[in-house]
Amino acid sequence: MKKIGYIIALLVLGHLFIGCNDFLDPDPKDRVSDRLFWQNEESASLYLNSLYLYVPSYGNFGSSQFNDGLLTEGMTDMLKYGSYSAGGGNANRIVLNPYNVTADQSQGLVIWTSAYTRIRRVNEFLATMKKYSEFSDETNLKLEAQARFIRAFLYYQLLLRTNTVILYDDLPKGNNKPLSPESECWDFVEQDINFAIENLPVQWESAYRGRITKGAAYAMKSRAMLVAKRWNKSREAALEAINIKDESGALMYELNKSYKQAFSSYFSGNKESILEFRYKDPAPYHTFDRDFAPAGDWVNNGGKAAPTQEMIEEYELTTGGKPDWSKWRNKTTETPPYELLEPRFHASILYNGAPWKGRRIETFVGGRDGYVEYGFQANTFGRTVTGYYLRKYLDESIADISTQYSFQPWIEIRLAEVYLNLAEACAMLGASFEAEANDAIRKIRGRVNLPYANLTGQLLLDAIKQERKVELAFEGFYYWDLRRWREAHIKLDGVRFHGMKITKEEDILTYEYADCDKDDRKFPERFYNFPIPPAEIANNLEVSQISGW
């Protein structure tokens, strides 16, 4: 989906590209000498920059989240891909026939081999630093802290998919090493993040602004410990990230007053951004606009995936509460209440009649942007299969996506997520922390002027889950949230999702629900713990396959 044009010094590139057989070789001889990276801080910094690339690769503008760039939301009730062919249609192939996923053919759901290759490279960095670096202890500690944060991030990505992994804190001495218990895996992640917290600055000097900070490490800990069900540690880390102050004594991070602007760069004044990766003309770039823009922007292109009607109905009215959508389940000429919905809807969704680049979106059959029934053809040529397009992350300032790439930043961690992590951790800790959870939710809803009344117990937890779904929509959380809540087999199995089909006759628009799946979706129990590639098991006598695979 997204091609990222990276420009990296040749010295670093020589180090990055290793063959599959090099993973367990403690001293590969076919690359530039590791000693050269430690001749000065500039070359060491370039070496470290190559590891930073791993973080955005799991984001929406990268290629590692799922099947070479597909979004995991495409396997939920949030987003529908238009294609059903292998590759671009893998989300549909998986949810409609999960037997397409085997241990041998994981269809992009397993990242084991690539993640361990990256972990190996982080460990190479750490090992060669200890062996060759003559920098000051302070410099070495900062370098190590950034590398260990990235290693923790990679293990976090593995543990989202498979709840037991092989832990490497150094270069491997051989092929055989067992899987570690889940608790030890999270201990390892926590230790790496704690090291980053202890040794990273709150703010970097201007020449290094944008690197991982102490606040980013606290925020990442709040995320990781939430998944690990270490509620108190998640809560404490979230509070540290929220309350951390800069050199002037002001809060380092603040919710952006505009939800839409919450996805702009920290360098343009967005204090909600805690950790981001910036793209820059002419490179590095990404192709999110080319992939997701409405078809009217570039004929026969874009529209790779579209928000579902089920997701549209998650948004509230500007006054609070959800509208009654029942009248649109059958044919009606009454316009849906899009204009009455809250700001997060308008910042995230393009609907028929929405303003866009000086025109109005046309998702009716035969309109400029168009509509096509799912399953009619493997390639939708940019037309939506749900009556909607994604707006979140698109750059409306790009005049011609056929000739221009995308350069908007990928924000890996923003403050709103940390508030939601705090809220969920507090709710799970029980009644004594419910006031804190309610306050966190009130801040999130207050940004978009939605009312909120304090809740308790399961009602509070349900409200938090709802806010995560809407606030973090299309940001790469929802599929993994449903899995860690053990709700995926309920909400994603035996169901079909829908779109809004619009037809136009003269000036009259007719609206009706449309089945955009054409078959029941499935989520087998074994999908809660994805397999280990058989080739990895064949090379490791101490590892056996995950149960169910």
Side-chain angles (χ1 to χ4, degrees), residues 27-45:
D27 188 22
K29 303 299 191 298
D30 62 343
R31 288 177 286 125
V32 177
S33 170
D34 289 319
R35 186 189 300 273
L36 293 179
F37 289 103
W38 303 101
Q39 296 298 305
N40 56 66
E41 290 189 31
E42 183 180 0
S43 59
S45 181

Side-chain angles (χ1 to χ4, degrees), residues 330-351:
N330 298 303
K331 286 187 177 182
T332 178
T333 57
E334 185 172 341
T335 304
Y338 301 132
E339 298 295 335
L340 303 178
L341 297 179
E342 55 128 320
R344 292 178 295 190
F345 168 79
H346 292 281
S348 304
I349 310 293
L350 287 171
Y351 55 93

Side-chain angles (χ1 to χ4, degrees), residues 185-198:
C185 296
W186 287 114
D187 287 345
F188 187 90
V189 170
E190 185 180 356
Q191 288 161 11
D192 269 356
I193 297 177
N194 283 345
F195 187 89
I197 289 170
E198 292 166 9

Side-chain angles (χ1 to χ4, degrees), residues 443-496:
K443 285 186 172 64
I444 295 296
R445 291 175 63 84
R447 188 241 297 273
V448 289
N449 298 314
L450 285 175
Y452 182 72
N454 286 350
L455 298 168
T456 61
Q458 187 61 46
L459 290 176
L460 172 59
L461 193 57
D462 289 344
I464 291 167
K465 291 178 179 180
Q466 172 67 13
E467 286 305 313
R468 282 190 71 90
K469 183 174 185 179
V470 173
E471 175 71 25
L472 305 178
F474 315 109
E475 294 181 39
F477 292 99
Y478 184 52
Y479 182 71
W480 309 110
D481 281 348
L482 289 177
R483 289 173 78 255
R484 68 182 178 85
W485 293 332
R486 303 295 288 191
E487 295 179 359
H489 69 289
I490 300 170
K491 295 187 174 181
L492 304 179
D493 189 76
V495 294
R496 299 186 186 190

Side-chain angles (χ1 to χ4, degrees), residues 495-510:
V495 294
R496 299 186 186 190
F497 301 127
H498 303 83
M500 184 71 77
K501 181 179 179 180
I502 310 171
T503 53
K504 184 176 183 180
E505 189 171 344
E506 295 183 350
D507 291 330
I508 304 297
L509 296 177
T510 300

Side-chain angles (χ1 to χ4, degrees), residues 93-102 105 107 522 524 526-527 549:
R93 288 163 53 82
I94 289 169
V95 299
L96 297 176
N97 184 6
Y99 296 103
N100 280 314
V101 181
T102 66
Q105 299 292 329
Q107 311 298 333
K522 303 171 184 66
R526 66 178 184 164
F527 269 32
W549 295 94

